[in-house]
Amino acid sequence: MTYEIGGHTIIIEGREQMLDTLLPSFVPFKVITSKADPVITLALCFGQDGSMPHTPERGSHLIRDIDTGNGMTRVDKLSNGGYQFLIRNIQGEECALLTASPTFHSCHCRILCNGAYQQFALNNALMIAYAFSTARRQTLLLHASVIRYEGKAYAFTAPSGTGKSTQVANWLTTIPGCDMINDDNPIIRIVDGQPMLFGSPWSGKTPCYRNTHAPLGAIVKIARDTTNHVSKMPPLQAFSTILSACSSMKWDEETYQDICTTTSAIIEKTGIYTLHCLPDPQSAIVCRDYLCR
C-alpha cells in the first residue's frame, strides 16, 4: 500500500487487505501510485510469521528507554548502524518490534500483540520511522495543535495539559473562517525555501486526519497567565522551543544536526511567539489580532 504524507511517499508491504482496518487514520493519505521515490519501505508481519527478528539483535547496544506518554519504547543501536525499537503499551506489554536501516529507508515491523493494540503498535512504529527518515529531508514532526486562518497555518505548542487544544477550540468558535488541520502531530517541511505545514495521520485524541497543507504563518507557545498578551521570542528561545516540541534523535549526530538545521530555517522565515493567556475566548482574539496585524 502506498501513502503520501507531508509530500513524502511511504510504502507498506504485507497484509495489505488489513491496512485500512489497522490504519484508518491513513486512509485520507492513500495514493494509487506516486512518482516520488519512497522515503520508507516498511515490511509488515505478525506474531511468528516470516523471517523478521522476534527480539532485539544480540550484540546490539541499548541507547535508552523512552517514555512516549502512552508507553515505554526501548531503542537499540544495531551492529550495521541501524536501529531497533521495542514498542510497549502503558501496561508494559510488548506490542511491536521495529527494525530500521541507518537512514530509516528500509524498515521491518513485527506486530507482537493482538486485538486493539495492533493499531497502536503499527501507528507508533510508522510515526517513529517517518519522523527519523524525513528528518534528512528538511521535515519535522511537531507536537502542536494547528488551525488555518486566511490561508495560513498557525501552530500552537505547549506541554500536555497547558491548553493548546483549548486555544485552537477558542479560534474555531470565536473567529469565523478557521479550520483545524491537526490536533497533535502536524508536519512542517521546508518547500522551495519556505516552511509549509501539512496534516498527518497522527492527531492524538482528536480524529483530525486531513491530507491538506498551508504556508506556516507562526508557531505560538501557550503560557498560562493572568492577562492575554503576545510577545515575540528571541532566536535562542525560539530554537529551544521548536526543538523541544519535535521528534528528535539526540543520540544520532547526523539526524540531530539535520533537525537543528531545519529548525533554524523555520526561525529565519517564521515568527515564533509566546501567547500569555487565560483559557478564555478573548485570548484567541488577542492572538489573532497580534499575528495578523
Side-chain angles (χ1 to χ4, degrees), residues 154 156 171 217-218 220 230 271 273 286-293:
Y154 296 92
F156 295 90
W171 279 65
V220 182
V230 181
Y273 304 92
V286 170
C287 188
R288 187 277 311 270
D289 289 350
Y290 186 95
L291 298 179
C292 303
R293 61 185 177 181

Side-chain angles (χ1 to χ4, degrees), residues 68-238:
T68 63
N70 51 17
M72 299 294 293
T73 294
R74 172 185 168 130
V75 185
D76 285 270
K77 183 75 175 283
L78 303 179
S79 57
N80 68 356
Y83 291 95
Q84 278 188 336
F85 298 81
L86 182 61
I87 299 168
R88 307 183 191 96
N89 62 21
I90 199 74
Q91 287 80 30
E93 299 165 336
E94 295 180 356
C95 293
L97 183 68
L98 172 68
T99 304
S101 64
T103 63
F104 287 81
H105 180 265
S106 177
C107 297
H108 299 84
C109 181
R110 177 180 294 280
I111 303 299
L112 305 173
C113 58
N114 297 311
Y117 276 117
Q118 291 184 342
Q119 286 191 16
F120 161 84
L122 185 53
N123 244 307
N124 276 264
L126 285 165
M127 186 164 67
I128 290 169
Y130 184 90
F132 301 138
S133 172
T134 60
R136 295 167 168 79
R137 296 167 174 82
Q138 294 188 292
T139 304
L140 300 180
L141 194 61
L142 192 73
H143 180 51
S145 188
V146 184
I147 58 93
R148 175 167 44 197
Y149 176 67
E150 294 186 342
K152 291 187 177 182
Y154 296 92
F156 295 90
T157 184
S160 296
T162 304
K164 60 184 184 297
S165 294
T166 299
Q167 181 61 207
V168 166
N170 286 337
W171 279 65
L172 291 170
T173 57
T174 307
I175 301 171
C178 294
D179 66 311
M180 181 188 287
I181 292 180
N182 187 273
D183 197 35
D184 197 53
N185 282 286
I187 296 158
I188 299 178
R189 180 182 178 189
I190 306 297
V191 180
D192 297 329
Q194 299 297 321
M196 297 290 292
L197 188 141
F198 295 78
S200 83
W202 306 287
S203 189
K205 297 177 182 178
T206 303
C208 184
Y209 313 112
R210 301 186 62 195
N211 188 1
T212 187
H213 64 276
L216 180 62
I219 296 175
V220 182
K221 183 177 181 178
I222 304 296
R224 292 285 178 86
D225 210 329
T226 55
T227 61
N228 297 318
H229 61 284
V230 181
S231 61
K232 187 171 183 177
M233 290 188 193
L236 187 59
Q237 183 185 359

